[in-house]
Amino acid sequence: MSMERRKIGILTGGGDCAGLNPAIKWAVKTALDARLAAERGTQFEVLGIYNGWEGLMYLDPAMPEDPQFVVPLTEELVRTWDRYGGTNLGSSRANPYNPKHDLSGVVLENIKNLGLDSLIVIGGEDTLGVASKLSSAGVGIVGIPKTIDKDLPGTDYTLGFETALNVIVECVDRLRTTAGSHRRVFVVETMGRHAGWLALEGGESSGAYIILIPECDFSIERVNDLILEGNRSGARYEIVIVAEGAKPEGCTEFVRSNRVDSFGHHTLGGVADFVAKAIEDGTGLETRSMVLSHLQRGGVPCAFDRRMGRYFGIAAADLVVDKDFGKMVAVTHGEICAIPLHQALGPPHLVNINTQYDTVRYNGRRTILGHRA
Ligand code: F6P
């Protein structure tokens, strides 16, 4: 029996995180597995594309094998990848559809030149937004959701989130001992952009006293009242977690600079310094701030990200095999499934402050099964 031959490209785009390498490994292993190949009657080749969309934007169509931009992926090469953080394929925030410098034509030409009949794209809203446009242009796209922000709609999980949570918990545990020794308040800034998941679930997991999220503008007077209340009831120190996108009532979010990336995003940051100063001024308690920043994206993937990377990678390869394109793998109610790509690009999935947050205590909900008015 003659084998059908097909070629898959795979890339990781946007902010890196733990869980990308496991997803790459399992997509590759599933595509190349000899037993599966015999069952399918299809022999796949997998080509890794370096640095997200950049690889396809800057590869010279006359030199399609250029090792600066592409690498053939074999089972042997990816064997140990699930143990490593970041992405061994590199990443970037390059946007082929950047209106100031549109290179989408080059990307389409390179996909054709490389003989790719499908592309597995691992990314968040920006990277998958590009993937969706390429899908409309006829490219066989399969998406895998990743972002520590966990804000993609249509999936209950995005790769990288749990590892980032573990970093937050470990850092807060470390801060607690020194905060306690010195009777200080610590304000810890998490990432998450416009979504409060990292701050909320990081704060719940680490037992923070106050959690401030972008979905609920906060009153600094209320924060100070809560801190003084805790102090009066004998707390030696307090931990306040604030999401980078959180803001005081009547204010706009804190940005690090006016520079925007090729998708039009500002770099957020600075709210923890503001809150720490406001607490110290308002309560007289010594207060320090700490920005966790990219520590949340670093380190080895936790067990959950390795497992979810594995499931997502396998499911993505399954979709490619079936030529079931224009989809993103997802997880809902504990089951791995596939949703139309455009569903993952709707309004972001944010914290529901009516059911998942306590707007009086500025903390996680304190009623789960109880009656709500
Ligand atoms: O989207 C992931 C994320 O880590 C956000 O939480 C954060 O605002 C942003 O990326 C930071 O991006 P960069 O690494 O480009 O500064």
Side-chain angles (χ1 to χ4, degrees), residues 15-34:
D16 76 331
C17 63
L20 298 171
N21 281 323
I24 300 167
K25 165 174 168 169
W26 285 100
V28 171
K29 278 185 71 70
T30 308
L32 301 187
D33 184 82

PDB file of all heavy atoms in Angstrom, residues 15-34:
ATOM      1  N   GLY A  15       3.620  35.826  24.167  1.00  0.00           N
ATOM      2  CA  GLY A  15       4.415  35.650  25.396  1.00  0.00           C
ATOM      3  C   GLY A  15       4.643  34.174  25.658  1.00  0.00           C
ATOM      4  O   GLY A  15       3.720  33.378  25.572  1.00  0.00           O
ATOM      5  N   ASP A  16       5.892  33.802  25.976  1.00  0.00           N
ATOM      6  CA  ASP A  16       6.161  32.386  26.240  1.00  0.00           C
ATOM      7  C   ASP A  16       5.573  31.994  27.593  1.00  0.00           C
ATOM      8  O   ASP A  16       5.101  32.846  28.344  1.00  0.00           O
ATOM      9  CB  ASP A  16       7.673  32.109  26.213  1.00  0.00           C
ATOM     10  CG  ASP A  16       8.350  32.600  27.477  1.00  0.00           C
ATOM     11  OD1 ASP A  16       7.847  33.576  28.086  1.00  0.00           O
ATOM     12  OD2 ASP A  16       9.360  32.019  27.886  1.00  0.00           O
ATOM     13  N   CYS A  17       5.573  30.733  27.894  1.00  0.00           N
ATOM     14  CA  CYS A  17       5.139  30.253  29.213  1.00  0.00           C
ATOM     15  C   CYS A  17       5.490  28.773  29.304  1.00  0.00           C
ATOM     16  O   CYS A  17       5.902  28.165  28.311  1.00  0.00           O
ATOM     17  CB  CYS A  17       3.634  30.447  29.403  1.00  0.00           C
ATOM     18  SG  CYS A  17       2.637  29.521  28.248  1.00  0.00           S
ATOM     19  N   ALA A  18       5.314  28.214  30.489  1.00  0.00           N
ATOM     20  CA  ALA A  18       5.552  26.783  30.642  1.00  0.00           C
ATOM     21  C   ALA A  18       4.382  26.023  30.020  1.00  0.00           C
ATOM     22  O   ALA A  18       3.239  26.457  30.136  1.00  0.00           O
ATOM     23  CB  ALA A  18       5.678  26.457  32.119  1.00  0.00           C
ATOM     24  N   GLY A  19       4.679  24.914  29.351  1.00  0.00           N
ATOM     25  CA  GLY A  19       3.608  24.108  28.747  1.00  0.00           C
ATOM     26  C   GLY A  19       3.708  24.065  27.226  1.00  0.00           C
ATOM     27  O   GLY A  19       3.094  23.211  26.575  1.00  0.00           O
ATOM     28  N   LEU A  20       4.496  25.012  26.660  1.00  0.00           N
ATOM     29  CA  LEU A  20       4.619  25.036  25.194  1.00  0.00           C
ATOM     30  C   LEU A  20       5.409  23.832  24.691  1.00  0.00           C
ATOM     31  O   LEU A  20       5.000  23.157  23.737  1.00  0.00           O
ATOM     32  CB  LEU A  20       5.310  26.334  24.743  1.00  0.00           C
ATOM     33  CG  LEU A  20       4.558  27.623  25.089  1.00  0.00           C
ATOM     34  CD1 LEU A  20       5.422  28.844  24.796  1.00  0.00           C
ATOM     35  CD2 LEU A  20       3.269  27.698  24.289  1.00  0.00           C
ATOM     36  N   ASN A  21       6.542  23.559  25.350  1.00  0.00           N
ATOM     37  CA  ASN A  21       7.371  22.438  24.896  1.00  0.00           C
ATOM     38  C   ASN A  21       6.661  21.087  24.996  1.00  0.00           C
ATOM     39  O   ASN A  21       6.776  20.269  24.075  1.00  0.00           O
ATOM     40  CB  ASN A  21       8.704  22.427  25.656  1.00  0.00           C
ATOM     41  CG  ASN A  21       9.668  23.461  25.091  1.00  0.00           C
ATOM     42  OD1 ASN A  21       9.714  23.681  23.883  1.00  0.00           O
ATOM     43  ND2 ASN A  21      10.433  24.109  25.959  1.00  0.00           N
ATOM     44  N   PRO A  22       5.915  20.827  26.097  1.00  0.00           N
ATOM     45  CA  PRO A  22       5.156  19.580  26.125  1.00  0.00           C
ATOM     46  C   PRO A  22       4.162  19.475  24.960  1.00  0.00           C
ATOM     47  O   PRO A  22       4.000  18.406  24.359  1.00  0.00           O
ATOM     48  CB  PRO A  22       4.398  19.637  27.461  1.00  0.00           C
ATOM     49  CG  PRO A  22       5.210  20.555  28.315  1.00  0.00           C
ATOM     50  CD  PRO A  22       5.864  21.531  27.386  1.00  0.00           C
ATOM     51  N   ALA A  23       3.507  20.593  24.620  1.00  0.00           N
ATOM     52  CA  ALA A  23       2.529  20.558  23.516  1.00  0.00           C
ATOM     53  C   ALA A  23       3.233  20.254  22.189  1.00  0.00           C
ATOM     54  O   ALA A  23       2.742  19.452  21.379  1.00  0.00           O
ATOM     55  CB  ALA A  23       1.777  21.882  23.433  1.00  0.00           C
ATOM     56  N   ILE A  24       4.403  20.879  21.973  1.00  0.00           N
ATOM     57  CA  ILE A  24       5.145  20.619  20.728  1.00  0.00           C
ATOM     58  C   ILE A  24       5.528  19.145  20.675  1.00  0.00           C
ATOM     59  O   ILE A  24       5.322  18.445  19.674  1.00  0.00           O
ATOM     60  CB  ILE A  24       6.431  21.489  20.640  1.00  0.00           C
ATOM     61  CG1 ILE A  24       6.090  22.980  20.662  1.00  0.00           C
ATOM     62  CG2 ILE A  24       7.239  21.129  19.394  1.00  0.00           C
ATOM     63  CD1 ILE A  24       7.306  23.888  20.898  1.00  0.00           C
ATOM     64  N   LYS A  25       6.104  18.657  21.798  1.00  0.00           N
ATOM     65  CA  LYS A  25       6.577  17.265  21.827  1.00  0.00           C
ATOM     66  C   LYS A  25       5.448  16.303  21.441  1.00  0.00           C
ATOM     67  O   LYS A  25       5.636  15.419  20.593  1.00  0.00           O
ATOM     68  CB  LYS A  25       7.087  16.910  23.219  1.00  0.00           C
ATOM     69  CG  LYS A  25       7.249  15.402  23.419  1.00  0.00           C
ATOM     70  CD  LYS A  25       7.871  15.018  24.727  1.00  0.00           C
ATOM     71  CE  LYS A  25       7.714  13.512  24.947  1.00  0.00           C
ATOM     72  NZ  LYS A  25       8.508  13.010  26.057  1.00  0.00           N
ATOM     73  N   TRP A  26       4.266  16.486  22.052  1.00  0.00           N
ATOM     74  CA  TRP A  26       3.218  15.484  21.838  1.00  0.00           C
ATOM     75  C   TRP A  26       2.531  15.629  20.483  1.00  0.00           C
ATOM     76  O   TRP A  26       2.061  14.628  19.934  1.00  0.00           O
ATOM     77  CB  TRP A  26       2.249  15.455  23.019  1.00  0.00           C
ATOM     78  CG  TRP A  26       2.939  14.773  24.150  1.00  0.00           C
ATOM     79  CD1 TRP A  26       3.551  15.354  25.225  1.00  0.00           C
ATOM     80  CD2 TRP A  26       3.196  13.361  24.257  1.00  0.00           C
ATOM     81  NE1 TRP A  26       4.153  14.401  26.002  1.00  0.00           N
ATOM     82  CE2 TRP A  26       3.951  13.174  25.437  1.00  0.00           C
ATOM     83  CE3 TRP A  26       2.865  12.252  23.496  1.00  0.00           C
ATOM     84  CZ2 TRP A  26       4.374  11.915  25.860  1.00  0.00           C
ATOM     85  CZ3 TRP A  26       3.291  10.993  23.913  1.00  0.00           C
ATOM     86  CH2 TRP A  26       4.023  10.838  25.082  1.00  0.00           C
ATOM     87  N   ALA A  27       2.521  16.837  19.932  1.00  0.00           N
ATOM     88  CA  ALA A  27       1.998  16.995  18.564  1.00  0.00           C
ATOM     89  C   ALA A  27       2.941  16.262  17.601  1.00  0.00           C
ATOM     90  O   ALA A  27       2.501  15.510  16.716  1.00  0.00           O
ATOM     91  CB  ALA A  27       1.889  18.465  18.204  1.00  0.00           C
ATOM     92  N   VAL A  28       4.247  16.455  17.812  1.00  0.00           N
ATOM     93  CA  VAL A  28       5.239  15.823  16.926  1.00  0.00           C
ATOM     94  C   VAL A  28       5.174  14.300  17.065  1.00  0.00           C
ATOM     95  O   VAL A  28       5.121  13.571  16.068  1.00  0.00           O
ATOM     96  CB  VAL A  28       6.664  16.349  17.253  1.00  0.00           C
ATOM     97  CG1 VAL A  28       7.727  15.548  16.516  1.00  0.00           C
ATOM     98  CG2 VAL A  28       6.778  17.826  16.910  1.00  0.00           C
ATOM     99  N   LYS A  29       5.178  13.823  18.311  1.00  0.00           N
ATOM    100  CA  LYS A  29       5.187  12.373  18.521  1.00  0.00           C
ATOM    101  C   LYS A  29       3.927  11.714  17.921  1.00  0.00           C
ATOM    102  O   LYS A  29       3.993  10.638  17.355  1.00  0.00           O
ATOM    103  CB  LYS A  29       5.285  12.048  20.021  1.00  0.00           C
ATOM    104  CG  LYS A  29       6.722  12.119  20.530  1.00  0.00           C
ATOM    105  CD  LYS A  29       6.819  11.691  21.969  1.00  0.00           C
ATOM    106  CE  LYS A  29       6.617  10.207  22.171  1.00  0.00           C
ATOM    107  NZ  LYS A  29       7.709   9.365  21.666  1.00  0.00           N
ATOM    108  N   THR A  30       2.806  12.397  18.053  1.00  0.00           N
ATOM    109  CA  THR A  30       1.560  11.823  17.531  1.00  0.00           C
ATOM    110  C   THR A  30       1.579  11.811  16.002  1.00  0.00           C
ATOM    111  O   THR A  30       1.132  10.853  15.374  1.00  0.00           O
ATOM    112  CB  THR A  30       0.346  12.631  18.038  1.00  0.00           C
ATOM    113  OG1 THR A  30       0.456  12.724  19.449  1.00  0.00           O
ATOM    114  CG2 THR A  30      -0.972  11.971  17.670  1.00  0.00           C
ATOM    115  N   ALA A  31       2.114  12.888  15.418  1.00  0.00           N
ATOM    116  CA  ALA A  31       2.161  12.949  13.952  1.00  0.00           C
ATOM    117  C   ALA A  31       3.127  11.903  13.383  1.00  0.00           C
ATOM    118  O   ALA A  31       2.860  11.313  12.337  1.00  0.00           O
ATOM    119  CB  ALA A  31       2.567  14.347  13.501  1.00  0.00           C
ATOM    120  N   LEU A  32       4.247  11.682  14.096  1.00  0.00           N
ATOM    121  CA  LEU A  32       5.300  10.836  13.514  1.00  0.00           C
ATOM    122  C   LEU A  32       5.245   9.376  13.941  1.00  0.00           C
ATOM    123  O   LEU A  32       5.970   8.546  13.385  1.00  0.00           O
ATOM    124  CB  LEU A  32       6.683  11.411  13.874  1.00  0.00           C
ATOM    125  CG  LEU A  32       6.969  12.846  13.408  1.00  0.00           C
ATOM    126  CD1 LEU A  32       8.426  13.209  13.695  1.00  0.00           C
ATOM    127  CD2 LEU A  32       6.674  13.020  11.922  1.00  0.00           C
ATOM    128  N   ASP A  33       4.420   9.064  14.919  1.00  0.00           N
ATOM    129  CA  ASP A  33       4.383   7.709  15.471  1.00  0.00           C
ATOM    130  C   ASP A  33       4.201   6.650  14.371  1.00  0.00           C
ATOM    131  O   ASP A  33       3.248   6.725  13.575  1.00  0.00           O
ATOM    132  CB  ASP A  33       3.227   7.623  16.488  1.00  0.00           C
ATOM    133  CG  ASP A  33       3.182   6.284  17.169  1.00  0.00           C
ATOM    134  OD1 ASP A  33       3.943   6.091  18.126  1.00  0.00           O
ATOM    135  OD2 ASP A  33       2.385   5.431  16.718  1.00  0.00           O
ATOM    136  N   ALA A  34       5.103   5.678  14.353  1.00  0.00           N
ATOM    137  CA  ALA A  34       5.107   4.697  13.254  1.00  0.00           C
ATOM    138  C   ALA A  34       3.844   3.839  13.254  1.00  0.00           C
ATOM    139  O   ALA A  34       3.277   3.558  12.181  1.00  0.00           O
ATOM    140  CB  ALA A  34       6.346   3.807  13.369  1.00  0.00           C
TER     141      ALA A  34
END
